[in-house]
Each structure stands twice: as C-alpha cells, then as structure tokens.
Amino acid sequence: MRRLWRDWISSRKKAIAVALGLMALVSATSSAYPALIRYVFDALGAASADLIWQVPPLIIGITLIKGVAMYFQVRQVNQLALLITTSIQKAMTAHLIRADLALVMSAPVGEFVSRLMNDVLIVREAIIRLANNLIRDMLTIITMVAMMVWFDWLLTLIVLGVYPLAMQPIIKIGQKQRKQSSHLQEQMADVTSLLNETLTGSRMTRAYGLEGHETRRTALAFDQLFDRLFRLTLGRARIDPILEVLGGVAVAGVIALAGWRVVNGEMQVGDVAGFITALLMLVQPVRGLGTLNAVVQESAAASNRIFALLDAERQINDPVHPLALTAAKGALDFDQVSFSYGETATIDGISFSARPGQVTALVGPSGAGKTTVINLIPRLFDRSSGQITLDGHDITELTLDDLRRQMALVSQDAMLFNDTIRNNIRLGRLDASDDEVEAAAREAAAHDFIMGQADGYDTLVGEGGGRLSGGQRQRISIARAILRNAPVLLLDEATSALDAESEKQIQLALEKLAAGRTTIVVAHRLSTVQNADQILVMDQGRIVEAGQHSTLMKKDGLYARLCALQHFSE
Ligand code: ADP
C-alpha cells in the first residue's frame, strides 16, 4: 500500500487537497446535526417561538451545503481513484507489450487479463474506501466524539470504553474475509483463462462435439466461484446485523444512564437528544472503519500481484552503449550458437552463414528447433552461448529497435489484427502512404482478391483474420513484409496445405520479396526449397547435413529420407 501511495497516488497532491477540503466540509456539516437537535429540544422544552423562524431554514441550509459537498467529494474521490487505476492499467499493458516473450508465454492470457481488470478494480475500490472511511469517517468520528464530550463527558467515557470491545467480532470477520478474498482472486483468474480458452477453441469444440464437456468444465468453475463469492457475501452479511444489535444496546444503555442523570438534574433533555443523535451518527463511520481492514488487505494482495507483474524485469534489453546501425546489408552469421527454453538444449552448437540475395532453408523433423533458430535472430529469445552477428556486429550490441528494423517476419500464423486490410498491411511500416500499401499488396499478389472484397482495402478481417482464407492471410502478411523493406527476411512457412493456385501465387510473391535480401526460411514442404542456395537439415537441435538439394539427395541421408516421406525426389 505504501508503494501504491508513493508511485501512483502521491503525485496528485492538488486533487487530494481538494478532496480533503470537501471531506472536512462534509464532516463539519454532519457535526451540526447533533448541535441542532439539542437546540430544538431545548427550544421545545421552553416552548420558544424562535424555533419556528430560525431552525427550519437552518436545517435546510445545512443539508443543502452537506448535499452539495458530498456530491463533489464523491466525484473528486472517484475521479482520482479512476485516474490512478487507469494509469496503472496503461502502465501494465505497456509493460506486457514490451515484456520478454518468455514472460507473456509463461501464463495463460486470461491470467494477465484478470490482473489487468479484476485486481485493478479491487485496488480502485480500496482507494475509494480508504479516502471515504479513513479520512472522511475519521473526521466525522472525531467531531462526533467532540460533540458528545461537550454534551456529557461522563457518558462519553462510558460509551468509548465499551465500543472497542463490541467491535471485536467485526474485526475477526474482517480478518477471515481477507483470506477468502485472496482465494477468490485466484479463482477469478482461473475462470477468466478458462473462458478465454473455451471461447478461443470454439471451432474445435463444435467439430469434436465437445460442447457437453466444455459446458461441464465451465459450469464446475462457476460453481466453485459461486461458493467463494457466497462465503464472502455471508461474511459481509454478518456485519450489519451485529452492528444493528450493538447500536440498539448502546442506545438502550445511554438512555438508561442519561435518564438517571436527567432525573437527578445533572443533564438537560437537549443534551440527551443531541448525545443520542451523535451516537447514532457514529455507527456508519465506525462500521466503515471496521470493515476497512478487510478491504485494505484484499487490495494489498491485488497490488502485490500487480507490482509483481510491473517488476518483472526484461532479460532481453538494449546494450548500455549500442552500436549505431541504420541500414544493414544483411550478412547473418551463427557461430556455435546454443539455446534452451528449459533444462535440455533446444539448439546445440549451430553455425552457418547467410548472405544477401541468398535463401537459406531450415528443414528437418518437427521439434528439431527450426522455429527456435528464427526466434533467436530478432532476439525474441537470447542465445545462451555462441555468437550471432549481423554485418559482423554481435546482435546484442545493437538496440532492439535497430536490430528488429532490419528484419521482416512472415510467420505461419500470419498474425492479423481485427482491423481493415489496409491497416493490417500498414503495420509493416506505420508511416506508409495508401499508394505504398497498395503497391505492396500488388507485389504480394493480394491486390486482386482485396478489390474483390466488399469494402476493398477497408474490409475488416475479423479477429485473427478469421474472415479471410489461409492463403489470403499469408499474402497480406507478405505484403506487410514487402512494405517493411528490410534486409533480412524470416519466413516461417505455412504448414497447412494451400490450394495449388494460392500456393503458386504465394511462391511467386515470396520470390519477389526475397530478391536481394537475406532470407531464412523454415520449410515444412520440401518441394518449396529445392532452389534454396543452402539447405540446413536440422535434427534435435543440431545441423546434421548442409548443402544444396542435389548434393543432399546424392548423400542419401536424413534429407533424402524426408523427401522420400513427402513423395518427392526431383
Ligand atoms: P520446429 O520449428 O523444428 O518444429 P521448434 O523450434 O518449434 O521446432 O521447437 C524445438 C523444441 O523446443 C521443441 O521440443 C519444443 O517443444 C520446444 N519449445 C518450443 N518453444 C518453446 C517454448 N516457448 N518454451 C519451451 N519449449 C519450447
């Protein structure tokens, strides 16, 4: 909580001061009520005519001031809390967008979404409660107690002696709530990621007839969520009745004692009425304070999760003294490069050179480490040993921006955003003009099918490009890479077979794209790499054979066997 204050709240001193001022006004007007009641009762007792002329306008005036002050105070506090949590959400999202790929892949997407939405919501509620209860209610309590002392100090002393004892059960409930609530947050994250998974897999669910299975799975999760929520609500529900009874006992006790003192002439009727009014007005703020602990604990747990995310440091960073590199030629060299995601080596001492104008194809059985080699080049992951150089510079000597600007990635999952075709292509270079976008699309053999869409370049592609065919998505991502015009081209070839026509068009588009660049392609269909300048055959993280198609065929090794498996030998 201290960190929340230091990093996110304390900078907004002016807004906090305004809120404090409004709160002081609210509690000051509250404290006028008991004083007024005392006056009314004394005036009633004396049957004074002043009562009729003075009190009604006074009451209306005070309630008006209090009403207006309350509105602006609530507005100010909520606005402040919203501003703070919105900036936390922005910072978290920005952090996730820049974070290491390894971090983002370490947990289900739903879990991050849950932290961003649920945890931040809890923090927001806590900020509001803290402002309202800790500050406004404290002020009210102080003024009410002062009023009570003014009316009758002895009675006040007795009440204050008993009150803390009576609050014990409420504090106990609060502590229990806090444990329940941290479980609840974990459950929320689980349910969010489960729902995310279920809805993302909609196609599979239907195709495999898994509707029943998925329905049961989600129903179970919601049932568990129900249990937790219900238990939490029960805890909260106990607090009100306890306070109600406590209030009754307190008023009864005060009336008994005060009645005795009035009979003995030690207290005025007006004092008793004012005292009871102040006592009743204490209940609400005291109760707020009583449950505040639970809320603060809940939000401490939520802030811990938020800060854990914000604190996750990047392993892959810019060097302290980066080399300036604006336009690389594209000479790429791997020298004894090794890498592992976990314990075992995924890439084990790989060396090769790729030159501009050449196509280097990575082939091999699945799981051999081909995609991983591609991932190491833009430093999506960092090699654990060996050296990767671009134009002779170790890639870790360049800034990530400079390095990644030198390459374009065309991946098999042709990542499209739910936006127009035009904007999806423009992601290759954000400042490209419409004409340049169109020129890139023409080169990628995408222009014709785009013009065939209802809205041409302004057609929305749907989530993940779902409204386009696989071949169309590929061509859009090729157009994006053409627009990027980078010296190094990384291709993760589509595994799924395309129809012959799209395949031919894509092949042509890729050849155009590859011209003059250093191309590294992960090839799943060996038919597409027979013209490659070098073919690196990978198996279990090593390069086991290297050469051109004809040499490798003559060798009759792994490559020849893979070709035979694909019924292809020419
Ligand atoms: P290929 O592209 O040749 O099919 P990959 O490079 O994708 O192979 O994967 C090589 C190995 O690394 C596989 O055993 C795979 O399970 C593992 N692997 C890939 N990505 C990750 C990851 N993010 N975390 C852990 N292991 C991974």
Side-chain angles (χ1 to χ4, degrees):
M1 293 313 277
R2 206 173 301 139
R3 167 133 180 233
L4 198 64
W5 166 258
R6 193 189 62 211
D7 292 356
W8 298 96
I9 308 180
S10 61
S11 57
R12 302 174 188 272
K13 295 227 166 58
K14 219 163 123 192
I16 295 173
V18 172
L20 284 178
L22 288 165
M23 285 175 187
L25 194 57
V26 172
S27 27
T29 43
S30 302
S31 69
Y33 287 145
L36 213 60
I37 292 285
R38 182 176 96 136
Y39 180 77
V40 167
F41 271 74
D42 285 343
L44 279 175
S48 147
D50 286 350
L51 182 71
I52 308 160
W53 300 113
Q54 287 177 358
V55 176
L58 206 59
I59 291 181
I60 293 172
I62 289 174
T63 44
L64 259 180
I65 296 174
K66 184 171 175 181
V68 172
M70 270 171 84
Y71 168 76
F72 281 105
Q73 182 252 313
V74 168
R75 189 188 132 125
Q76 181 75 5
V77 166
N78 280 277
Q79 188 187 32
L80 193 61
L82 261 174
L83 278 174
I84 291 164
T85 47
T86 305
S87 55
I88 292 178
Q89 280 171 320
K90 286 182 195 162
M92 286 170 83
T93 317
H95 189 80
L96 272 176
I97 290 174
R98 293 198 157 267
D100 289 344
L101 204 56
L103 173 81
V104 183
M105 288 165 79
S106 67
V109 172
E111 217 169 298
F112 293 113
V113 175
S114 173
R115 280 191 207 178
L116 261 161
M117 307 306 290
N118 300 336
D119 285 345
V120 172
L121 181 70
I122 289 180
V123 169
R124 177 155 77 231
E125 280 173 357
I127 294 174
I128 294 173
R129 287 282 312 263
L130 269 174
N132 286 346
N133 297 136
L134 197 64
I135 303 170
R136 188 187 66 193
D137 289 353
M138 266 300 197
L139 283 174
T140 309
I141 290 173
I142 291 169
T143 46
M144 286 303 156
V145 171
M147 295 303 280
M148 283 161 71
V149 172
W150 181 42
F151 294 138
D152 193 297
W153 63 269
L154 189 66
L155 216 50
T156 312
L157 220 63
I158 294 170
V159 168
L160 289 188
V162 180
Y163 234 101
L165 281 180
M167 290 308 287
Q168 284 309 313
I170 293 172
I171 293 171
K172 284 253 165 58
I173 295 175
Q175 284 165 346
K176 230 166 97 189
Q177 294 287 91
R178 150 189 153 197
K179 275 197 215 113
Q180 301 270 3
S181 140
S182 88
H183 291 313
L184 175 71
Q185 281 316 303
E186 285 158 22
Q187 190 92 31
M188 283 277 208
D190 288 350
V191 173
T192 316
S193 66
L194 177 66
L195 284 179
N196 193 21
E197 198 175 276
T198 304
L199 294 177
T200 323
S202 295
R203 215 165 135 235
M204 273 298 154
T205 309
R206 285 161 185 73
Y208 277 78
L210 295 174
E211 292 92 341
H213 175 260
E214 287 298 304
T215 309
R216 278 191 298 280
R217 217 156 71 104
T218 45
L220 185 69
F222 277 116
D223 282 343
Q224 286 168 345
L225 196 62
F226 169 88
D227 277 348
R228 293 235 181 274
L229 277 169
F230 192 56
R231 255 183 277 171
L232 211 63
T233 327
L234 278 187
R236 280 193 192 141
R238 270 190 219 124
I239 292 174
D240 272 333
I242 291 177
L243 280 168
E244 192 73 38
V245 175
L246 282 178
V249 172
V251 171
V254 165
I255 287 182
L257 278 168
W260 188 251
R261 283 169 72 75
V262 170
V263 169
N264 286 340
E266 289 159 356
M267 223 178 151
Q268 300 300 310
V269 177
D271 289 337
V272 178
F275 193 92
I276 291 178
T277 310
L279 187 66
L280 289 179
M281 288 184 71
L282 259 184
V283 173
Q284 177 69 28
V286 165
R287 173 199 159 166
L289 273 185
T291 52
L292 184 63
N293 190 37
V295 176
V296 171
Q297 297 300 340
E298 275 175 32
S299 85
S303 336
N304 279 343
R305 285 188 293 268
I306 292 173
F307 289 135
L309 178 66
L310 283 173
D311 286 346
E313 278 191 26
R314 282 201 290 172
Q315 303 296 321
I316 298 173
N317 279 309
D318 287 340
V320 188
H321 303 293
L323 275 178
L325 179 85
T326 37
K329 295 193 181 62
L332 195 66
D333 291 274
F334 271 56
D335 182 18
Q336 289 298 318
V337 172
S338 297
F339 171 77
S340 64
Y341 289 106
E343 302 279 292
T344 51
T346 307
I347 299 291
D348 191 3
I350 280 190
S351 303
F352 67 86
S353 296
R355 291 287 169 262
Q358 287 185 351
V359 173
T360 301
L362 296 165
V363 304
S366 88
K370 306 179 293 287
T371 311
T372 307
V373 169
I374 295 263
N375 285 344
L376 294 180
I377 302 172
R379 292 185 69 197
L380 299 181
F381 295 88
D382 261 349
R383 62 184 172 38
S384 32
S385 66
Q387 200 179 33
I388 304 172
T389 57
L390 179 65
D391 289 0
H393 308 300
D394 192 309
I395 55 172
T396 57
E397 288 173 13
L398 308 173
T399 64
L400 289 172
D401 277 352
D402 271 352
L403 174 69
R404 292 175 183 170
R405 205 177 308 123
Q406 312 305 324
M407 36 202 78
L409 174 69
V410 180
S411 148
Q412 52 173 306
D413 53 1
M415 181 59 200
L416 298 193
F417 292 96
N418 187 9
D419 201 342
T420 60
I421 291 179
R422 187 193 314 281
N423 288 341
N424 266 295
I425 297 177
R426 210 195 305 267
L427 291 176
R429 209 181 77 232
L430 293 174
D431 60 0
S433 69
D434 284 356
D435 286 344
E436 288 172 308
V437 168
E438 210 177 301
R442 275 181 207 278
E443 265 196 76
H447 180 74
D448 289 343
F449 94 76
I450 294 172
M451 293 316 284
Q453 302 287 314
D455 296 316
Y457 281 85
D458 294 316
T459 308
L460 290 169
V461 301
E463 189 178 335
R467 283 187 218 144
L468 300 176
S469 76
Q472 291 170 336
R473 285 201 292 270
Q474 280 267 313
R475 277 178 277 167
I476 289 183
S477 77
I478 292 172
R480 185 191 286 168
I482 290 175
L483 197 61
R484 189 162 183 82
N485 192 21
V488 178
L489 182 61
L490 307 173
L491 295 176
D492 200 346
E493 191 193 58
T495 31
S496 49
L498 301 168
D499 60 278
E501 180 59 25
S502 313
E503 167 111 39
K504 211 172 78 194
Q505 283 182 324
I506 286 173
Q507 211 51 44
L508 274 173
L510 282 177
E511 273 164 32
K512 272 193 194 163
L513 175 59
R517 305 177 207 272
T518 308
T519 306
I520 315 276
V521 51
V522 170
H524 299 281
R525 276 157 305 145
L526 302 180
S527 55
T528 59
V529 299
Q530 49 179 320
N531 296 325
D533 299 280
Q534 60 172 343
I535 299 170
L536 307 175
V537 187
M538 290 188 64
D539 192 20
Q540 300 188 3
R542 293 166 190 272
I543 295 176
V544 290
E545 290 169 19
Q548 290 190 326
H549 176 72
S550 50
T551 359
L552 288 174
M553 286 308 283
K554 278 194 207 107
K555 218 170 170 186
D556 205 17
L558 180 57
Y559 181 77
R561 278 207 301 285
L562 289 170
C563 283
L565 276 176
Q566 294 195 1
H567 305 293
F568 162 79
S569 52
E570 270 312 300

